[in-house]
Amino acid sequence: MPAPLLRIGTRGSPLALWQANTVRDGLVAALGGDPDTVEIVVIKTTGDVIQDRPLSEAGGKGLFVKEIDEALLGGRVDLAVHSAKDLPTDLAEGTGLAAVLPRADVRDALIGGSAATLDALPQGAVVGTASLRRGALVRRRRPDLKVVPFRGNVQTRLDKLSAGMVDATLLALAGLSRLGLAAHATEILPEDDFPPALGQGAVAVTARVGDERTREALGGLDCVATAAALACERAFLKILDGSCRTPIAGLARVEGDALAFRGLVLSEDGARTVEGEIRGGATDAERLGAEAGRDVRARTPADLLAAFG
Ligand SMILES: NCc1[nH]cc(CCC(=O)O)c1CC(=O)O
């Protein structure tokens, strides 16, 4: 059997595999339809191994990509598929974005055990989430709720919820839908008062800089509007994200040539927010995101930024 033309590196979680398979299907079609031309290579990352402490303490987002970047740079894989929101703002030297798939629903969902909605949860109920953003947004609306750390892949978290370890949890609707688990959502949180993580709902493909063969094969999978939205959101994040310790949210919408972005920084208790908005042309996505980031940063009180360490 001839060696595959392209190898895809991915983490082994069901969500990661779904995303990698989607990219594989697109590539196989682009390369003429022979399924043997594209192979998926599962790579275990440090982030998959650490289970005993919050990842924001252990080293953050990079923990899920380091080993995959090494495989990419070492030529063991030709492309890597990531949830865009898990990609660090600085990609590894020698790698870069090669395609962004059309965005799925960007909203978060509440999965309630004892009550269906955030408002209906009883006083003092326990919400499990490892996300500083979700924790801050929950506290902003319901300061009485108790937010506790909660980790594991999507199915693990649903299992912990069924076991009664928490009263509710929050997950991205995109991830639930990809896994056929959207029916578990008991409330879909509107993005206006519960803005998503930068990049949420988008799948990003990275490749080696200069690997034109791979980049050309991926060209047909790229969604220009989602790529512009992601460029804007990542530029905003890059200005504000000194560490993973500050809750940050935001969303760029692209319609035709027009881009509208709204982003915010929150205090961990959600009591204070600093928000910025910007509009412009979609081709200026990165500049607009950076400008919104500088604007928000300039208005953010020092103690919120102190979390940047
Ligand atoms: N941090 C894990 C992660 N990375 C991407 C998604 C969901 C899919 C997406 O946003 O594209 C999830 C799970 C979640 O936050 O519920």
Side-chain angles (χ1 to χ4, degrees):
M1 199 171 69
L5 289 175
L6 292 174
R7 291 195 173 85
I8 303 179
T10 176
R11 293 173 54 211
S13 74
L15 180 61
L17 289 175
W18 184 96
Q19 295 174 169
N21 272 305
T22 301
V23 170
R24 180 175 62 179
D25 291 349
L27 278 175
V28 165
L31 294 169
D34 177 358
D36 291 335
T37 53
V38 186
E39 185 179 271
I40 288 181
V41 179
V42 173
I43 297 164
K44 208 178 189 87
T45 69
T46 309
D48 296 315
V49 177
I50 296 174
Q51 291 294 344
D52 57 339
R53 57 204 155 120
L55 290 177
S56 50
E57 279 166 25
K61 284 183 178 180
L63 296 175
F64 286 112
V65 296
K66 185 168 166 276
E67 286 83 357
I68 295 177
D69 283 338
E70 284 166 3
L72 195 53
L73 290 167
R76 278 178 286 129
V77 300
D78 303 296
L79 57 139
V81 180
H82 301 279
S83 291
K85 76 168 177 182
D86 297 332
L87 270 184
T89 43
D90 286 316
L91 300 178
E93 184 83 36
T95 74
L97 285 177
V100 184
L101 302 193
R103 200 167 204 172
D105 199 309
V106 298
R107 293 173 295 176
D108 277 330
L110 184 91
I111 301 102
S114 54
T117 67
L118 205 49
D119 288 339
L121 283 167
Q123 184 90 13
V126 177
V127 177
T129 180
S131 153
L132 295 169
R133 174 187 63 86
R134 289 176 179 141
L137 291 169
V138 164
R139 289 178 175 118
R140 174 164 82 159
R141 188 139 129 210
R142 286 288 308 271
D144 63 294
L145 297 180
K146 189 166 188 277
V147 176
V148 301
F150 203 56
R151 282 207 52 215
N153 69 33
V154 172
Q155 187 61 55
T156 309
R157 294 190 225 185
L158 293 176
D159 292 345
K160 287 181 177 177
L161 174 72
S162 323
M165 289 169 68
V166 293
D167 295 302
T169 187
L170 295 140
L171 288 166
L173 196 54
L176 286 170
S177 299
R178 287 173 189 148
L179 296 171
L181 298 169
H184 287 265
T186 56
E187 180 183 26
I188 294 172
L189 298 156
E191 66 270 32
D192 288 341
D193 59 46
F194 218 92
L198 293 313
Q200 185 153 308
V203 173
V205 185
T206 60
R208 285 180 294 276
V209 171
D211 179 359
E212 293 312 321
R213 181 187 70 140
T214 301
R215 288 174 171 269
E216 215 164 281
L218 284 164
L221 305 190
D222 190 46
C223 169
V224 177
T226 306
L230 187 61
C232 176
E233 293 171 19
R234 283 174 59 76
F236 178 79
L237 189 61
K238 190 173 170 137
I239 300 282
L240 287 160
D241 188 28
S243 78
C244 297
R245 299 294 311 156
T246 301
I248 302 177
L251 178 63
R253 295 172 187 288
V254 175
E255 266 172 49
D257 299 334
L259 182 148
F261 174 79
R262 174 181 167 239
L264 56 155
V265 167
L266 301 101
S267 58
E268 276 199 51
D269 64 2
R272 290 175 299 155
T273 60
V274 181
E275 203 171 310
E277 268 186 282
I278 197 161
R279 281 167 195 276
T283 48
D284 284 332
E286 193 172 336
R287 188 184 61 73
L288 292 167
E291 198 175 317
R294 285 189 294 268
D295 165 49
V296 167
R297 190 177 59 186
R299 290 184 287 111
T300 301
D303 67 306
L304 283 197
L305 292 173
F308 282 61

